[in-house]
Amino acid sequence: MRLPTELIDLSSEQNDILDLCRTFATEQIRPIARAVDEADTEVPWNIWYAAADVGLTSFMLPESYGGGGYTDVFTQCLVQEELCTGDLAIGNLLTANGFFAHPVLELGTAEQRTRFLTPLTRQRPPMTSVAVTEPDTGSDAAGLSTRAVAKGDRYVLSGRKAWISNAGASEYYVVFATVDPRLRSRGVTAFVVQKDTPGLSVSAPWPKMGQRALINAEVVLDEVEVGADDRLGDEGAGFAGLMHTFDRSRTILAAAATGVARAATEYATEYAQQRKQFGKPIIEHQAVAFRLAEMATRVESSRLMTWRAAKRIDAGLPAARESAMAKLVASETAMYATWAAVQTLGGWGYSREFLVEKWMRDAKLEEIEEGTSDIQRLIISRSLDDRA
């Protein structure tokens, strides 16, 4: 089930980076996936720096800041799927700086882009985070309670952020706060905060069900002072920037979910070809064969929906509905395919002898992060009157 690139016109540079990703996923990511999962709340710095050495932590950043120049969402989706066939959590970790970079590129000045993005392309790059979610605010991004109070040419940030990926390990955080809660979305403003800024603290990493390569923790902002030159865009511009970021990130996460679904399908198919019951390989039993057929069909469907959303974004077209559709279908495909892989392996699938049980735990997060499946359905349903 290699990535079906024969029907799309890829440049030699795109083919090169896909070859690199395929090799890196097979030789570097997959062999350490179990150990990283067992370590739970430890940051896998070794694989981070190994990926940085070959340009995989900065391939999505513009060349003008030292990145690889693959700024189009379509190529980023191709890369994400390949990396996540090695391991979903590690694949998501290695491309995390792209999520940080987008609001900087969307809202920041030329000086801010240089200041915040250039460090991400050096030989030993820092990790970064985007801080939106709060203990009482998840999908309602307009209802943030973290405050940003103007104080001369500075701002004072106060509040708590929850479930922040790479928190504690990150050197830079894009923090979304409100200058006035009464304004809802019109008050949301983005700031870049450095790790060592007085008043910023991070909890111990939280143990999780899956995707343990990405540590998560709470970030507390206790009267954190930042300069006006650390604000991205105008006051109130953060919400629009965040929504555009979600369109891109949901599409790329759909590619990630497609990657783990593809890995599960490949794994289960190979197992079914070798495992014998009742005198023949279990793939020759209709119940198993039909389940594998369903897995393969769903993988192809989620990939095509992901590519469609990516192409719309790259063309400058509205893509909120398409990105929501892609994430919805791909995340639920990932959950189905990993469940089906466990089912195909039977007792062995339930054991830690094989990776499929890990992939099923990892896949669950795809139905939750960047908006749950319920939220994706809400976005889609609200769009039907506009572009039915």
Side-chain angles (χ1 to χ4, degrees):
M1 287 186 68
R2 282 171 63 94
L3 196 63
T5 57
E6 66 278 2
L7 296 179
I8 51 178
D9 186 19
L10 297 182
S11 67
S12 59
E13 291 81 6
Q14 286 174 313
N15 280 312
D16 287 345
I17 194 170
L18 288 180
D19 287 341
L20 170 65
C21 291
R22 200 171 293 120
T23 301
F24 195 85
T26 302
E27 298 180 2
Q28 301 282 341
I29 296 178
R30 183 72 66 85
I32 67 167
R34 176 61 71 186
V36 171
D37 180 65
E38 297 287 355
D40 198 356
T41 58
E42 296 178 15
V43 179
W45 287 109
N46 287 344
I47 192 68
W48 174 260
Y49 290 130
D53 285 342
V54 295
L56 289 178
T57 61
S58 60
F59 79 94
M60 74 297 288
L61 300 178
E63 289 183 278
S64 54
Y65 306 112
Y70 296 95
T71 57
D72 64 294
V73 180
F74 182 69
T75 301
Q76 292 175 23
C77 286
L78 297 178
V79 167
Q80 196 77 5
E81 179 179 332
E82 286 292 356
L83 292 178
C84 290
T85 58
D87 184 75
L88 178 60
I90 295 174
N92 281 337
L93 169 69
L94 299 185
T95 56
N97 280 357
F99 292 99
F100 169 90
H102 188 258
V104 177
L105 289 167
E106 175 87 11
L107 299 169
T109 64
E111 184 278 330
Q112 288 174 323
R113 293 172 184 174
T114 299
R115 177 159 45 112
F116 296 130
L117 299 185
T118 302
L120 308 187
T121 65
R122 65 192 185 208
Q123 188 172 10
R124 291 176 72 83
M127 287 185 184
T128 58
S129 297
V130 176
V132 181
T133 302
E134 299 178 354
D136 296 321
T137 305
S139 299
D140 182 14
L144 299 178
S145 60
T146 297
R147 290 297 308 275
V149 178
K151 183 181 178 183
D153 63 349
R154 304 186 68 75
Y155 285 86
V156 178
L157 307 182
S158 299
R160 295 164 59 201
K161 297 293 185 179
W163 290 107
I164 306 307
S165 296
N166 296 332
S170 289
E171 292 293 330
Y172 301 95
Y173 298 80
V174 172
V175 175
F176 286 84
T178 180
V179 295
D180 186 345
R182 296 170 297 181
L183 296 176
R184 295 279 293 168
S185 63
R186 293 179 290 112
V188 175
T189 308
F191 301 85
V192 176
V193 184
Q194 295 192 42
K195 178 180 183 178
D196 58 359
T197 305
L200 187 149
S201 61
V202 180
S203 71
W206 293 339
K208 305 196 306 293
M209 175 181 177
Q211 294 214 32
R212 295 170 177 171
L214 280 164
I215 62 169
N216 290 84
E218 181 179 64
V219 176
V220 178
L221 301 136
D222 184 9
E223 297 191 347
V224 172
E225 285 199 18
V226 296
D229 60 346
D230 295 320
R231 187 190 71 211
L232 298 176
D234 296 330
E235 287 189 3
F239 188 79
L242 182 59
M243 293 302 103
H244 292 156
T245 296
F246 278 159
D247 289 347
R248 295 173 68 98
S249 63
R250 285 168 177 159
T251 302
I252 295 168
L253 285 174
T258 302
V260 73
R262 171 181 147 201
T265 303
E266 292 171 348
Y267 206 105
T269 300
E270 182 178 351
Y271 180 89
Q273 291 168 339
Q274 298 173 357
R275 174 70 166 172
K276 291 185 177 180
Q277 289 289 290
F278 303 101
K280 59 183 179 181
I282 62 173
I283 198 170
E284 296 181 18
H285 294 285
Q286 189 179 77
V288 175
F290 279 16
R291 183 163 58 241
L292 294 171
E294 181 71 16
M295 295 163 72
T297 300
R298 292 194 187 193
V299 169
E300 296 291 342
S301 297
S302 65
R303 178 185 294 119
L304 290 173
M305 294 192 74
T306 299
W307 286 2
R308 179 186 181 220
K311 286 293 188 180
R312 286 188 65 89
I313 294 170
D314 291 338
L317 298 172
R321 177 166 73 172
E322 287 75 16
S323 64
M325 286 178 170
K327 183 182 181 294
L328 174 65
V329 170
S331 63
E332 295 192 349
T333 291
M335 198 66 231
Y336 172 79
T338 54
W339 166 85
V342 171
Q343 196 73 9
T344 301
L345 270 66
W348 291 115
Y350 195 68
S351 76
R352 295 196 175 203
E353 184 74 16
F354 295 89
L355 284 169
V356 291
E357 63 83 26
K358 174 194 179 307
W359 292 342
M360 187 171 72
R361 290 186 283 109
D362 289 345
K364 186 59 195 174
L365 182 58
E366 299 305 302
E367 294 183 311
I368 298 171
E369 65 178 341
E370 300 285 334
T372 64
S373 291
D374 294 334
I375 291 298
Q376 306 313 315
R377 287 185 169 91
L378 181 63
I379 293 169
I380 296 163
S381 66
R382 287 177 173 175
S383 76
L384 296 180
D385 287 340
D386 296 331
R387 290 188 290 131

